[in-house]
Amino acid sequence: MSSVKNSPKRPRIPNGDASPTQPAAVDGRAGRSGGPRVSRTLLYGLAGSGLLWAAQPPLNAWPLAWLAPIPWLILVRHRSLTGRRPYVALWLAGCCFWLAALHWLRLPHPATSLGWVALSLYLGIYLPLFVGLSRVAVHRWRCPVALAAPVVWVGLELAQARLLSGFSMAGLAHTQHRWLELIQISDLAGAYAVSFVLMCSAACLARIVPLDDAVGGLARRWSAAALWPLLPLAVVLGSALAYGHLRLRDDRTRPGPKVALIQGSIDTEMKHDPTEHQRIHDQYFELSRRAGRQHPDLDLIVWPETMFRDPFIVAGPDARLPAEWTGSRESFDRLVAQRQALIESQALLLGAPLLLGLDTLHFDSDAARRYNSALFIDRGGRLGPRYDKMHRVMFGEFVPLANHFPWLYKLTPLGGGLDAGGQPEAFDLGSTRLAANICFESTVPHFIRSQVAMLARRGQEPDVLVNLTNDGWFWGSSELDQHLACAVFRAVECRKPFLIAANTGFSAWIDADGRILRRGPRRDTGIIVADVRLDGRSSRYLHWGDWPAAACLAACLGLLVSGLVDRRRTALPAS
């Protein structure tokens, strides 16, 4: 994507997204004049990053998200980028946003600071990609910036959600999770639909900003004719809000179960101390007992991820005993039976069905496996289905290649990894069916959607989604807010109530419109009793999946190829 001054003559671009008097350069080689021009590109990049960060927690200045992309879009519209390395400057600006937005990754352990920096360096790549690919669309293909920018942004968001196990927190759409009328379009194309509207609106506003033939000037005068981009902005935003208004008025709810979400607020580092296990259990049991006394008609009590500290042990008759076990096979079988009886007794003592977050040790003939699980126990103390977490967090629950090179775990604070579960599970609660997900699984839109779709194909489509999480690693930071915002979108995308049992917050009761009906405290104990109402509406996103976003990603790949081919052509010497 180099300067085209020596390229074959190209037609002028009449749409005003690039200079109408000269062909556009899209790689920043034009106009090199040293440091000040590099700093201007960096300034625009940092301005957008700063505004987008302010729109995120902890500041939560969400209206700024509508303005945050404008500095980046001005760079897209300019005839050329300034400086010797403008895309490096934009990468640094992107890194700054992610370092600030994900600062909580450094809190669990000193070693996780390396992951914080590494993830931010990777995610920072998406800003220069956005600007570069949008410039190809605007300047090479004469695509209006109000169409090019949202298509490229959504395509890159999908790539970010899929690559390297996927990361979808602190997104552009998440800043709007409180605007119920707007986020209803998520049942059409996921949170990507909200990002599309935000970026399209920002591009229309950026299109109004007058530019001269140089870089960064504001030479043209404002005029009424220059305000025409407000019309497509009004159409796009008005259509989204009209759809949202109609969906919010479409009430097809019916009574569902009464569920108690227990938030014991135990700092995560404490659970590694075996002497604290009994205290943790006693605290959660007492909160559960209190919920049962206040609400004798409870249909379910939910404990957060891993807060039942005694592991659930599963061993078949041909299971190989663990290497560290020094007793007989009979004594091991007695231990397994005792652990299961302990778990079964909890529901009997509380007089209500339980959904417990715990570790599972599964021994079979060839290996021992460890899972992060959600185990259902019915009112009579009978063990029901067990869901084992399927989507593990890289460097949090597993290290790549560590199955072949176990010594890699010695370089991390993990001590050992978790195995991935094989399939989603549904839990029947009378006439209601629930499906559990664990921790950061709720942040990945296609994962939750695929689980619901898979259960539906098995004739077990859930009525309610339940997330068991332990965000105590992050000490009440803005991670709690970001995690909660993701759950709001999962509820709307699937049109299902979404319940969260979180150790240190935020436990929450979210209805199928994405409305947070009740939220637990930040890093404190609490009980949320949700009188869940089931929703009868359908979701296009459950049927279509990510195809609309995938089309945007395909367009990004086409723009990338186009830019690389054009760069190669302009780099060839004249024959």
Side-chain angles (χ1 to χ4, degrees):
M1 293 182 283
S2 61
S3 173
V4 298
K5 291 183 178 179
N6 297 323
S7 304
K9 187 175 181 180
R10 299 178 184 272
R12 292 180 180 177
I13 301 174
N15 64 14
D17 291 323
S19 169
T21 59
Q22 299 183 35
V26 298
D27 72 340
R29 295 187 180 186
R32 290 182 181 174
S33 63
R37 290 183 178 261
V38 174
S39 64
R40 178 176 291 175
T41 300
L42 180 61
L43 178 64
Y44 278 51
L46 289 174
S49 294
L51 288 170
L52 186 55
W53 174 80
Q56 301 276 354
L59 296 186
N60 286 313
W62 62 268
L64 293 180
W66 297 87
L67 306 177
I70 292 178
W72 304 334
L73 294 164
I74 291 175
L75 294 177
V76 170
R77 292 186 58 220
H78 272 311
R79 179 171 53 87
S80 62
L81 296 180
T82 56
R84 298 182 62 86
R85 296 290 183 268
Y87 288 107
V88 173
L90 289 171
W91 173 65
L92 291 174
C95 291
C96 287
F97 167 76
W98 288 110
L99 285 168
L102 306 181
H103 73 95
W104 42 265
L105 279 172
R106 61 189 172 80
L107 299 177
H109 189 277
T112 61
S113 293
L114 297 176
W116 168 52
V117 173
L119 181 60
S120 299
L121 294 178
Y122 156 65
L123 294 174
I125 295 172
Y126 287 93
L127 177 56
L129 274 176
F130 166 69
V131 173
L133 295 178
S134 297
R135 287 179 61 79
V136 172
V138 168
H139 297 285
R140 300 301 191 207
W141 295 100
R142 292 181 289 175
C143 181
V145 68
L147 177 62
V151 167
V152 172
W153 185 269
V154 167
L156 293 177
E157 275 195 344
L158 180 64
Q160 181 182 312
R162 296 271 184 170
L163 295 177
L164 300 180
S165 81
F167 188 87
S168 296
M169 296 181 73
L172 184 62
H174 297 146
T175 61
Q176 308 300 305
H177 75 275
R178 297 177 185 84
W179 193 349
L180 292 181
E181 289 80 7
L182 177 65
I183 67 174
Q184 300 310 305
I185 58 175
S186 299
D187 73 354
L188 296 175
Y192 305 113
V194 177
S195 292
F196 189 98
V197 170
L198 276 158
M199 186 56 69
C200 181
S201 300
C204 290
L205 294 175
R207 182 62 184 78
I208 296 173
V209 177
L211 305 178
D212 63 3
D213 292 343
V215 179
L218 299 177
R220 292 188 299 146
R221 293 183 178 180
W222 295 87
S223 66
L227 299 180
W228 67 264
L230 293 179
L231 178 59
L233 186 156
V235 170
V236 170
L237 183 56
S239 299
L241 295 177
Y243 177 83
H245 180 71
L246 291 175
R247 292 299 269 172
L248 289 173
R249 291 187 63 183
D250 185 12
D251 185 1
R252 305 185 196 177
T253 61
R254 64 187 189 276
K258 178 175 287 190
V259 181
L261 308 169
I262 309 301
Q263 180 175 315
S265 193
I266 304 293
D267 289 335
T268 300
E269 66 172 6
M270 296 173 63
K271 75 175 188 177
H272 296 295
D273 183 354
T275 63
E276 293 290 335
H277 285 193
Q278 188 61 46
R279 187 183 73 84
I280 294 171
H281 176 274
D282 291 345
Q283 180 162 333
Y284 269 91
F285 190 86
E286 180 54 37
L287 288 171
S288 301
R289 178 178 286 169
R290 185 190 310 169
R293 286 197 301 263
Q294 296 173 353
H295 302 273
D297 56 342
L298 280 178
D299 296 300
L300 182 67
I301 297 173
V302 185
W303 287 21
E305 173 192 16
T306 67
M307 283 298 103
F308 190 85
R309 294 306 308 143
D310 290 292
F312 179 52
I313 303 177
V314 179
D318 59 345
R320 185 172 61 183
L321 298 183
E324 63 273 16
W325 184 258
T326 58
S328 64
R329 176 59 194 249
E330 289 74 16
S331 60
F332 182 76
D333 290 341
R334 283 196 299 272
L335 174 64
V336 172
Q338 289 169 1
R339 288 291 175 84
Q340 293 189 1
L342 173 64
I343 295 172
E344 293 167 351
S345 68
Q346 305 305 301
L348 293 172
L349 292 172
L350 292 171
L354 289 174
L355 186 60
L356 297 179
L358 41 61
D359 294 319
T360 295
L361 302 178
H362 192 118
F363 299 95
D364 55 27
S365 58
D366 60 345
R369 294 178 175 84
R370 182 171 171 237
Y371 299 107
N372 186 351
S373 303
L375 179 65
F376 179 76
I377 307 101
D378 70 14
R379 195 181 302 271
R382 290 177 293 272
L383 300 182
R386 186 187 84 234
Y387 169 68
D388 300 324
K389 186 178 182 183
M390 299 170 62
H391 187 86
R392 300 170 297 167
V393 178
M394 187 184 300
F395 298 110
E397 293 172 320
F398 79 103
V399 174
L401 302 179
N403 287 341
H404 303 286
F405 306 102
W407 55 267
L408 289 173
Y409 280 115
K410 296 180 180 179
L411 305 178
T412 73
L414 297 180
L418 295 175
D419 294 285
Q423 63 181 7
E425 293 290 345
F427 310 101
D428 289 327
L429 197 64
S431 60
T432 304
R433 185 173 291 125
L434 296 85
N437 53 84
I438 297 175
C439 196
F440 283 172
E441 288 183 329
S442 64
T443 70
V444 186
H446 61 267
F447 177 80
I448 298 299
R449 180 256 165 196
S450 66
Q451 285 205 326
V452 174
M454 189 181 302
L455 289 169
R457 288 193 295 270
R458 285 163 38 186
Q460 298 179 308
E461 181 172 351
D463 303 299
V464 182
L465 301 176
V466 185
N467 178 255
L468 285 64
T469 190
N470 180 8
D471 288 343
W473 296 99
F474 307 111
W475 300 87
S477 67
S478 55
E479 184 275 341
L480 276 61
D481 307 84
Q482 293 174 9
H483 200 174
L484 179 61
C486 292
V488 168
F489 280 91
R490 303 298 86 83
V492 181
E493 289 166 353
C494 300
R495 286 299 175 196
K496 300 186 185 301
F498 201 102
L499 306 178
I500 305 171
N503 173 33
T504 56
F506 292 125
S507 298
W509 167 20
I510 306 170
D511 70 11
D513 289 324
R515 187 181 290 105
I516 302 174
L517 299 175
R518 194 166 299 168
R519 194 196 79 172
R522 187 188 300 269
R523 205 177 168 206
D524 199 358
T525 59
I527 301 170
I528 291 179
V529 175
D531 286 301
V532 180
R533 293 193 65 83
L534 310 181
D535 200 285
R537 291 172 295 175
S538 62
S539 164
R540 292 294 93 194
Y541 181 67
L542 285 179
H543 296 283
W544 295 337
D546 288 331
W547 283 111
C552 295
L553 179 57
C556 289
L557 295 175
L559 292 171
L560 179 62
V561 171
S562 174
L564 293 174
V565 169
D566 191 77
R567 180 184 178 91
R568 184 175 182 275
R569 284 176 178 171
T570 56
L572 292 176
S575 57

